Amino acid sequence: MPLTLHLDRSGAFITGQNGVGKSTLLRAIGLNLMSARAFGFCYAKAASTPRAAIYTSMLIEDNLEAGKSHYMAELSRAERLARVAGSADAVFLIDEPFRGTNHDESTAASAGWLAFLATRGMVIVSSHNLLLGRLLKKHLTPIRLISSDVGALRLEQGLLTAPNGIAIMERYDFHTDIRRSAEAVMRWLSAGSPPSQMPSI
C-alpha cells in the first residue's frame, strides 16, 4: 500500500495500533534506503534519500548458549550503535527499544539513548511507548500510522491517540474475567490514580 513519508533531515517516532504495520513500515524504509544507496533506485514513484550508512536495532533475541538475556542483547546492540553515531552520516532504524526490562527503566534508557543518537544522525523508531514519544518530541517528529475502516493506511502527524492492546484481546478466547481485570487496571493507569486507589483484581 503506497505511503508518503517526508522527514527533511529530522527523525521520526512512529506509533500505531497493534497489527497496523509499524514494523513492516520500518523494514520498508530500510529496504528502500539500502536499495537506493546500493543500486540507485528504490520502490517508490519518486524519492530523495540520504547518502548515509544504515544501522538497525530491530530483531534482538536472547542467547541461552552465550548466557545473554534479551535485555543484555539489546544493550550490546545499542552500545555498538552509540559508538558509531556521529562518525559519519547515518540513519538508525529502531523497533521497540529496550523492551527486555521493566517499563520505567525501558523508557528512561530508551530516552537517553535515542536522544543521543538523534543529535548525531537520523533516527526512525517504531514504538508503542507513548510516554517515550512525548519525551523525545524535541528530537523526533511524532508520526502515527492509521488504518481506515476499509483498511487503507495513511501517515499523520502526532502520537497514537487510541491504543488497542486490550480491545484486541476480544479476538482471542480469553476468559471474560481476564479482560475485565485488564480494563480496570488500564483505567487506573490512564487516570494517574494514586496507589491507594489501585484496583482489586
Side-chain angles (χ1 to χ4, degrees):
M1 185 169 296
L3 291 167
T4 298
L5 180 65
H6 180 69
L7 295 176
D8 194 25
R9 299 197 182 116
S10 66
F13 191 92
I14 300 172
T15 57
Q17 292 187 333
N18 289 280
V20 76
K22 298 181 302 299
S23 297
T24 302
L25 173 61
L26 205 59
R27 288 173 175 82
I29 292 168
L31 174 65
N32 277 295
L33 289 174
M34 288 188 290
S35 179
R37 182 178 166 93
F39 306 114
F41 72 88
C42 63
Y43 302 92
K45 287 183 179 178
S48 176
T49 61
R51 295 179 61 84
I54 301 150
Y55 298 93
T56 67
S57 178
M58 297 173 77
L59 292 173
I60 306 295
E61 296 180 347
D62 57 3
N63 187 326
L64 185 62
E65 187 176 341
K68 185 179 285 190
S69 71
H70 184 89
Y71 185 56
M72 297 305 173
E74 287 182 305
L75 288 175
S76 178
R77 182 63 181 161
E79 180 188 28
R80 287 199 295 275
L81 268 59
R83 210 179 307 128
V84 301
S87 59
D89 286 344
V91 175
F92 299 97
L93 303 175
I94 299 159
D95 194 20
E96 292 293 353
F98 295 135
R99 58 188 159 195
T101 189
N102 67 79
H103 178 73
D104 289 349
E105 290 187 307
S106 170
T107 301
S110 297
W113 179 56
L114 293 171
F116 177 87
L117 294 181
T119 61
R120 291 160 175 80
M122 177 182 282
V123 174
I124 304 174
V125 60
S126 166
S127 178
H128 288 283
N129 191 333
L130 302 181
L131 174 58
L132 182 59
R134 292 193 292 272
L135 286 167
L136 291 166
K137 65 182 179 181
K138 182 175 84 171
H139 301 284
L140 302 175
T141 301
I143 297 174
R144 57 180 172 252
L145 181 60
I146 302 290
S147 176
S148 71
D149 293 337
V150 294
L153 294 175
R154 68 183 187 278
L155 293 169
E156 296 179 348
Q157 291 276 324
L159 294 172
L160 178 67
T161 56
N164 68 335
I166 293 174
I168 209 171
M169 292 173 77
E170 281 189 341
R171 299 182 191 175
Y172 298 85
D173 194 23
F174 285 105
H175 192 282
T176 307
D177 290 348
I178 297 173
R179 186 172 175 206
R180 188 179 297 125
S181 295
E183 288 171 341
V185 172
M186 191 65 213
R187 284 192 299 273
W188 175 70
L189 289 170
S190 299
S193 302
S196 61
Q197 296 178 17
M198 187 181 299
S200 175
I201 57 172

